[in-house]
Amino acid sequence: MWKTVNEHISQAINLDFKHTYKRQLQSTNTDKLFQLTDGTHNYLIKVALKSELERLESESIGLKLLAQNSYFKIPNCIVTGANIEFSFIVLEWLVLDKQPHATWHDMGKSLANMHHKHDQAMFGFDVDNYLATTVQPNRWHKKWDVFYAEERIGWQLQLLAEKGINFVEPERLINATKEQLHSHQVEPSLLHGDFWRGNMGFLKAEPTVFNPACYYGDREVDIAMSELFAPLPSDFYTAYDQHYPLSPNYEKRKLIYQLYPILNHANIFAGHYLTEAKQHIEKLLS
C-alpha cells in the first residue's frame, strides 16, 4: 500500500517521493492516521477501506471549498487514491499550537466572515458527502425548513429505523421540525458542517479547520454544533456576534440543530447516545 501512496504523492507534486519515516498516530474513529515524510516533505495520511474512497474524496472537495471561501488556514489536499484493499487521502502536515491559543476571537471572526457570504440561492450541495462516516444527503431545496427536516432529521431517522430503532413516528418529528423552522428567515451560507472543537485549532495563532462536512444552509447550524460537545471559549461567541449577530430565537432553534449530530452519534456509536437522542426528541416535542 505504501508504494501506491508514494507513487500518488510523486505524481501529485511532480517529484520522486519515497518516505523515509512513517509513524501511526492516534485516531478517534475507524480511519488510521499516519505521518509520512522523506525528510523534506511532510504529510498526514488518512487510511480507510477501499469502499470508503468516496468519503475521502468528499473531504477533499470540502477542504478546497473552505480554502476558496474563508480566511481559515486549511490543510492542502495533496491527493486521494486507493489500491486493491485500502483508500487514502494525503494532506498537508500542520503542526498545530500545543496549547489552546488565546485568539479565539479570530476563530469567531473568521467563521462570521465565511457565513456572511451568501453566494447560493438554495440549500444543499452539488454532491452528497459525509458527517463523520455517515452519508449526508444534500439535494438542493428552495426552502430551508424542508431541507433540514427531510435531508437531515428524516434521513437520520430512516437510518435508525433500518437498524430497528424507532424513537418517534418519523412524520411527526419531520413535520414538527418544518413547523418550528418555517417562519425563520435564512440566507444560505457555506457551512463547515461538523464545527466542533476536535475539528479546529491554531497554526501559529492562525485559526484552522479541517474534517469538513460542507453544504449551504443556516449558519446557526455551525454555532449550535460548536456548543454541543465541548463549547468554545466565550471570546469565540462574542466575536462572532460582533461581526454577524445571530437572529432572534436562536436558543429555540439550537435544540433542533443539535438533534442532527446527536442522531448521527446514535447511528454510529449507539450506547448512551440512543438515550440522549430519545430525551432530546421528547424535549423538542413536549
Side-chain angles (χ1 to χ4, degrees):
M1 189 198 102
W2 294 109
K3 180 182 178 184
T4 303
V5 172
N6 285 336
E7 289 172 350
H8 275 68
I9 294 174
S10 297
Q11 292 172 6
I13 68 174
N14 202 27
L15 289 170
D16 186 25
F17 177 87
K18 290 181 181 177
H19 72 272
T20 56
Y21 175 77
K22 169 174 64 73
R23 71 181 175 109
Q24 188 166 357
L25 309 169
Q26 287 186 335
S27 176
T28 57
N29 55 36
T30 55
D31 294 337
K32 293 182 179 179
L33 301 179
F34 297 88
Q35 179 188 6
L36 211 64
T37 182
D38 65 355
T40 302
H41 305 89
N42 224 344
Y43 301 114
L44 173 68
I45 318 296
K46 186 180 294 187
V47 179
L49 295 176
K50 185 179 181 181
S51 59
E52 298 285 291
L53 177 59
E54 184 179 321
R55 174 169 62 83
L56 298 182
E57 289 176 338
S58 76
E59 179 178 346
S60 172
I61 292 170
L63 289 171
K64 290 174 182 175
L65 192 65
L66 289 174
Q68 294 165 358
N69 292 278
S70 78
Y71 295 109
F72 290 113
K73 170 62 181 173
I74 307 297
N76 291 325
C77 177
I78 310 303
V79 70
T80 58
N83 70 355
I84 237 175
E85 190 177 359
F86 298 103
S87 60
F88 57 86
I89 183 171
V90 180
L91 301 170
E92 174 188 7
W93 178 263
L94 300 182
V95 182
L96 299 181
D97 300 347
K98 291 185 178 180
Q99 297 297 325
H101 208 275
T103 55
W104 282 99
H105 179 279
D106 293 342
M107 184 73 76
K109 179 181 177 181
S110 295
L111 186 67
N113 286 335
M114 185 178 84
H115 285 167
H116 221 294
K117 295 181 181 180
H118 300 293
D119 300 328
Q120 285 288 343
M122 296 178 68
F123 302 97
F125 202 48
D126 285 336
V127 296
D128 293 343
N129 48 25
Y130 293 78
L131 180 64
T133 55
T134 307
V135 173
Q136 179 170 262
N138 291 313
R139 287 178 299 173
W140 291 103
H141 286 261
K142 291 182 180 179
K143 297 180 178 180
W144 169 246
D145 60 322
V146 176
F147 174 89
Y148 189 78
E150 296 181 359
E151 305 291 320
R152 294 294 176 262
I153 303 304
W155 171 248
Q156 289 287 341
L157 293 177
Q158 178 183 324
L159 294 178
L160 285 164
E162 290 171 0
K163 298 172 182 175
I165 301 168
N166 296 282
F167 297 124
V168 64
E169 172 59 37
E171 285 305 312
R172 183 187 175 203
L173 184 55
I174 289 169
N175 289 335
T177 300
K178 288 178 182 177
E179 183 179 334
Q180 292 188 52
L181 294 178
H182 182 69
S183 61
H184 177 43
Q185 299 299 311
V186 184
E187 289 185 89
S189 296
L190 175 61
L191 306 183
H192 178 280
D194 196 3
F195 193 76
W196 74 285
R197 192 185 285 259
N199 289 336
M200 65 185 74
F202 295 91
L203 182 71
K204 297 179 181 177
E206 184 179 359
T208 178
V209 295
F210 35 86
N211 295 332
C214 293
Y215 63 99
Y216 290 90
D218 184 359
R219 64 197 178 98
E220 293 178 353
V221 168
D222 276 347
I223 301 299
M225 172 78 82
S226 77
E227 293 189 83
L228 179 57
F229 299 118
L232 304 180
S234 59
D235 284 356
F236 166 84
Y237 300 103
T238 300
Y240 185 94
D241 213 47
Q242 285 174 347
H243 289 84
Y244 199 178
L246 292 173
S247 302
N249 298 317
Y250 158 71
E251 288 297 326
K252 290 184 179 180
R253 291 186 295 274
K254 179 170 73 172
L255 284 175
I256 303 172
Y257 293 155
Q258 289 181 339
L259 177 59
Y260 175 54
I262 290 172
L263 288 174
N264 192 54
H265 273 60
N267 261 305
I268 295 174
F269 303 112
H272 71 90
Y273 289 111
L274 294 172
T275 302
E276 186 175 350
K278 184 174 184 293
Q279 292 172 343
H280 204 91
I281 289 170
E282 290 171 350
K283 184 185 294 187
L284 280 172
L285 295 177
S286 61

